[in-house]
Amino acid sequence: MMRSLLAATTLTLVAGTPLVAQVPTTPARPAPGSTVTRAFFDSLATPRVASSTTALEPDAGVAWLDLLQDSVLVGLVTEGVTANRDVRLAQARLREFRAQVGVAKAGYLPELSANAGFARQQTVFGTLGTFGFDAWRATADLAWELDFWGRIRGNVRGASLDVAAEREEHRATVLALVSDIATAYLELRELDAGLAIAERTLATRRQTLALAQRRLAEGVISELDVRQFEAEVASPASRVAEFTRLIAEREHQLSQLLGRVPGPIARGRPLAEVAKAVTVPEQVSAERVAARPDVQRAIHELNAASARAGVARTARLPRVLLSGQYGTQALEASEMFKSSTEIYTIQGGISIPLFTGGRIRNEIAAADARVEQAELRYERAALTAMREVSDALVGVRTARDQVAAQEMQTRALQRAYALAERRYEAGVSSYLELLDAQRGLFNAELGLVQAERAYLVSAVKLVKAVGGSW
């Protein structure tokens, strides 16, 4: 399925540009469901001009932790993948589905059972009277269905595809967990940076307030100026309290994701360093998108539904059964297992359904309907994957532009604040000019931290969207 899907059309997703398709001249070998998937992807392929930027290829081996370059985050992710309850639940489900494959494969082999029993019987033979006797019996019974039409093979294939689908579900669970841990960690580092900015701003405004109080004592300024500076001190003080609360909540969230009780979380590189070091490509090949766990799961489910539809059709065909019995039966327990008490039965039979009240016909119709549902779920998964990747690519590009703009604004306001502070100390400008410069710089620094976090989170979303490994 996947080979035919990928050979049918090669798509490239580019930040800010639609899909690009190249249809190969040599057709792919058909596989179950390949006609549907090929037609679906071809219907989405619209020729456009692609960018020349580097693409994220399927064999690039993109790892989240290499992308973010933070050793502390590596440890947190490793701990989370090991201890998180959702991941462990997914692992237990996968073991269940693997066991179901063994259940299905048991149909290939005959069933053998041992039986033993005792019976006290009495019967009447006409005028001869009533006769009673004991019966001691021990047998080994065998039953075997010959799989001429592939019913058992279809069940085994369906169960094997269920395992493959559940394996992708497990991969999706891990993928989502790594994304949640990375996102929460980046938000925590943003809050750390915001708290540092708020504390630094609070200290700066306290110094400005102290200067204003001295100037008031000297009669240089009015009490109104001092009261304005006092009011401005409250803003960063309030943000310090807010950041402290949010940091604790984010640590609690991360602790839950890591499968531990709420507690402190270790920190790694500062957010600004990670944002400057990260490099994200602006193109994604369709093979990478098609390898996403949700798309792969939908493909496996489609093939499993097709296999079970074939099983449903075998119900119209005859079933060939072999059965046998071998053992001993005697009137007394002491007489058992002698050659004179040996019993056996060998039987072969064929069962042909003649009239089932429409049961088989409706079971086939239901199986076909499930195949159609699986096809639609596959198409929905493919469309969702393309939308998420396109959104993530646009998000990376725009977030990077936003970081650049915020850096420029912050540098300009830092210079403006330095000038306003010197002018105020020299008595050249009023307190309003200094207050405006302080407010502008505080907001710009917080905005820069938010933009850096948004850029890194957009990188995380991109790697998650393409189903990257960690």
Side-chain angles (χ1 to χ4, degrees):
M1 163 73 76
M2 200 63 238
R3 266 194 213 98
S4 62
L5 182 152
L6 299 179
T9 175
T10 301
L11 306 175
T12 302
L13 298 177
V14 186
T17 63
L19 301 175
V20 177
Q22 293 178 346
V23 180
T25 56
T26 304
R29 191 170 119 186
S34 62
T35 302
V36 174
T37 55
R38 184 185 302 115
F40 176 66
F41 264 87
D42 286 344
S43 70
L44 300 174
T46 305
R48 300 292 169 88
V49 178
S51 169
S52 60
T53 52
T54 305
L56 185 62
E57 296 300 333
D59 297 328
V62 175
W64 297 40
L65 308 186
D66 293 341
L67 184 70
L68 298 178
Q69 301 180 21
D70 192 320
S71 60
V72 173
L73 181 57
V74 174
L76 294 177
V77 168
T78 302
E79 179 183 353
V81 171
T82 303
N84 182 267
R85 299 306 186 269
D86 290 335
V87 173
R88 293 173 65 179
L89 181 61
Q91 291 170 344
R93 286 198 302 266
L94 183 57
R95 290 194 296 271
E96 175 191 356
F97 278 85
R98 284 172 176 163
Q100 291 298 327
V101 175
V103 173
K105 287 182 176 179
Y108 286 133
L109 304 174
E111 291 186 9
L112 184 64
S113 60
N115 301 281
F118 166 77
R120 174 67 179 174
Q121 302 184 32
Q122 180 172 298
T123 186
V124 177
F125 290 95
T127 59
L128 297 178
T130 301
F131 294 89
F133 61 94
D134 296 336
W136 296 82
R137 184 183 182 92
T139 61
D141 298 341
L142 179 144
W144 191 9
E145 178 183 353
L146 302 182
D147 191 31
F148 280 120
W149 321 116
R151 185 184 70 85
I152 298 175
R153 289 194 300 274
N155 285 330
V156 171
R157 174 169 170 75
S160 300
L161 289 167
D162 286 342
V163 170
E166 196 60 31
R167 189 180 298 113
E168 295 300 330
E169 181 65 20
H170 173 262
R171 190 161 71 95
T173 302
V174 173
L175 203 62
L177 174 64
V178 177
S179 173
D180 291 343
I181 291 175
T183 300
Y185 178 80
L186 292 172
E187 290 173 351
L188 179 61
R189 300 304 285 138
E190 175 199 0
L191 294 172
D192 289 338
L195 177 61
I197 292 171
E199 289 176 339
R200 185 173 66 249
T201 303
L202 177 60
T204 300
R205 292 191 181 180
R206 281 176 174 169
Q207 293 174 358
T208 305
L209 175 61
L211 174 62
Q213 289 172 339
R214 289 196 304 271
R215 299 187 70 184
L216 173 64
E218 296 170 356
V220 178
I221 61 174
S222 67
E223 184 181 355
L224 176 62
D225 295 356
V226 176
R227 298 295 172 246
Q228 289 285 351
F229 283 116
E230 286 179 348
E232 288 301 313
V233 170
S235 177
S238 174
R239 296 305 297 272
V240 167
E242 179 184 6
F243 283 128
T244 302
R245 174 181 60 83
L246 293 175
I247 286 172
E249 292 177 351
R250 194 64 72 242
E251 286 183 324
H252 299 164
Q253 178 192 3
L254 264 170
S255 297
Q256 180 184 9
L257 293 172
L258 298 176
R260 62 162 88 154
V261 296
I265 299 295
R267 309 296 205 271
R269 300 178 65 188
L271 193 70
E273 289 185 13
V274 178
K276 287 181 173 60
V278 68
T279 302
V280 184
E282 293 190 356
Q283 293 185 21
V284 177
S285 64
E287 288 87 346
R288 171 65 70 176
V289 180
R292 280 173 45 129
D294 56 341
V295 176
Q296 286 293 298
R297 177 185 173 92
I299 291 173
H300 293 315
E301 289 178 342
L302 172 57
N303 287 334
S306 299
R308 292 192 169 98
V311 171
R313 285 177 171 78
T314 63
R316 292 172 169 172
L317 304 173
R319 296 181 65 182
V320 180
L321 304 172
L322 294 179
S323 60
Q325 184 181 79
Y326 178 81
T328 180
Q329 179 173 318
L331 298 178
E332 300 289 341
S334 60
E335 299 295 321
M336 295 179 66
F337 301 106
K338 294 182 178 180
S339 60
S340 59
T341 62
E342 181 183 41
I343 60 173
Y344 63 87
T345 302
I346 299 176
Q347 181 179 345
I350 184 169
S351 174
I352 303 175
L354 298 178
F355 177 74
T356 59
R359 177 181 59 83
I360 295 178
R361 182 179 67 253
N362 286 301
E363 286 177 348
I364 293 174
D368 290 339
R370 285 190 287 270
V371 171
E372 182 181 359
Q373 294 170 40
E375 290 176 355
L376 294 172
R377 282 194 295 270
Y378 163 75
E379 293 179 2
R380 182 180 62 187
L383 287 172
T384 300
M386 292 180 181
R387 178 188 64 81
E388 290 179 354
V389 172
S390 298
D391 290 347
L393 286 167
V394 173
V396 167
R397 178 176 57 80
T398 56
R400 185 171 54 240
D401 294 344
Q402 187 176 1
V403 169
Q406 285 293 143
E407 287 177 343
M408 182 182 299
Q409 183 188 44
T410 301
R411 286 194 299 270
L413 289 175
Q414 286 172 343
R415 178 62 179 163
Y417 170 69
L419 293 173
E421 188 176 33
R422 287 199 295 268
R423 286 169 58 87
Y424 178 75
E425 291 174 354
V428 177
S429 62
S430 68
Y431 72 95
L432 291 177
E433 183 178 332
L434 180 58
L435 288 178
D436 286 341
Q438 287 180 336
R439 292 192 200 104
L441 178 59
F442 182 48
N443 293 331
E445 288 178 332
L446 292 180
L448 175 58
V449 171
Q450 293 171 357
E452 289 171 341
R453 187 265 307 161
Y455 174 52
L456 294 174
V457 169
S458 67
V460 170
K461 288 181 178 179
L462 175 60
V463 183
K464 178 186 177 184
V466 299
S469 65
W470 65 274

